[in-house]
């Protein structure tokens, strides 16, 4: 049964006859699908939801672990930097101490060498001076011996011998 009010002249119209339009069959099919699919699709969706929640929890756990590892690594890095800075400062201090010690030893060695050279110079001057005195004495003796025979006559020679004997007697 079609209602003439709502029916149009030909192409479009609203049919309100329940038996003719199969509304009851459609309602039963939709209700059945809803009731059956609710359990099926609900289970699938619940399992999917649980899987997503588990993955989110796992991701949060990994994030927390990574954050803890990052914090620990940053602390280790800061500690390593502090130790490296301390080592660098200690190294500079040791290098400075070694340099100062080396300079001190160099100055001491130079002073010792200077003193050794002065003492060597003094001993060389003394040796040369003694050698010059000896040579001068030898030359004076040679000259005296060379000129002595011409200047010495028998009387002078006798006086010289007497004088040498007296000098030996007093000693």
């Amino acid at each position: 049964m079609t209602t003439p009010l709502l029916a149009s002249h030909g192409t479009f119209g609203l049919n309100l006859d329940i038996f003719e339009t199969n509304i009851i069959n459609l309602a039963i099919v939709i209700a059945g699908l809803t009731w059956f699919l609710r359990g099926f699709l609900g289970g699938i969706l619940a399992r999917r939801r649980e899987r997503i929640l588990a993955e989110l929890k796992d991701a949060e756990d990994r994030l927390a672990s990574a954050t803890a590892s990052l914090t620990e690594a940053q602390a280790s890095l800061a500690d390593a930097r502090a130790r490296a800075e301390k080592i660098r400062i200690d190294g500079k201090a040791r290098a400075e101490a070694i340099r100062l010690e080396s300079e001190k030893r160099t100055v001491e060695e130079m002073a010792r060498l200077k003193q050794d050279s002065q003492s060597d110079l003094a001993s060389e001057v003394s040796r040369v001076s003694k050698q010059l005195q000896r040579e001068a004495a030898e030359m004076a003796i040679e000259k005296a011996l060379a000129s002595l025979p011409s200047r010495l006559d028998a009387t002078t020679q006798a006086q010289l011998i007497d004088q040498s004997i007296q000098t030996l007697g007093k000693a």
Side-chain angles (χ1 to χ4, degrees):
M1 294 198 215
T2 58
T3 52
L5 279 176
L6 297 174
S8 174
H9 292 289
T11 60
F12 181 72
L14 187 57
N15 187 359
L16 296 178
D17 185 10
I18 295 176
F19 296 111
E20 196 176 297
T21 58
N22 250 350
I23 290 178
I24 293 175
N25 288 339
L26 286 174
I28 291 172
V29 168
I30 290 173
L33 283 175
T34 304
W35 187 73
F36 286 116
L37 289 180
R38 183 181 334 142
F40 177 72
L41 288 177
I44 291 174
L45 291 175
R47 285 191 300 275
R48 178 70 181 147
R49 180 175 180 253
E50 288 172 9
R51 209 174 314 131
I52 290 171
L53 289 174
E55 288 175 3
L56 283 174
K57 178 151 178 45
D58 183 47
E60 287 175 351
D61 291 344
R62 285 184 287 147
L63 176 64
S65 174
T67 303
S69 295
L70 176 64
T71 304
E72 184 179 322
Q74 286 174 337
S76 295
L77 178 63
D79 185 44
R81 283 183 177 162
R83 280 186 282 149
E85 183 64 21
K86 185 179 184 298
I87 290 170
R88 187 183 65 79
I89 289 170
D90 288 348
K92 278 186 174 182
R94 287 187 71 204
E96 183 66 20
I98 289 171
R99 184 186 65 80
L100 290 175
E101 180 65 26
S102 176
E103 286 177 1
K104 180 182 173 187
R105 278 188 291 187
T106 302
V107 167
E108 289 173 354
E109 186 66 21
M110 289 173 63
R112 187 186 65 75
L113 288 174
K114 185 177 179 183
Q115 186 174 3
D116 287 350
S117 68
Q118 286 176 348
S119 117
D120 287 347
L121 181 63
S123 68
E124 187 65 21
V125 165
S126 173
R127 185 188 67 79
V128 168
S129 175
K130 286 180 184 177
Q131 185 178 1
L132 286 176
Q133 286 176 354
R134 192 174 323 118
E135 287 177 7
E138 287 174 0
M139 285 175 58
I141 290 173
E142 284 177 18
K143 192 175 181 183
L145 286 176
S147 68
L148 192 62
S150 64
R151 294 176 69 201
L152 209 74
D153 58 1
T155 327
T156 313
Q157 198 173 17
Q159 284 178 349
L160 185 59
I161 291 174
D162 288 340
Q163 243 180 0
S164 294
I165 293 173
Q166 285 178 0
T167 308
L168 285 176
K170 291 181 183 177

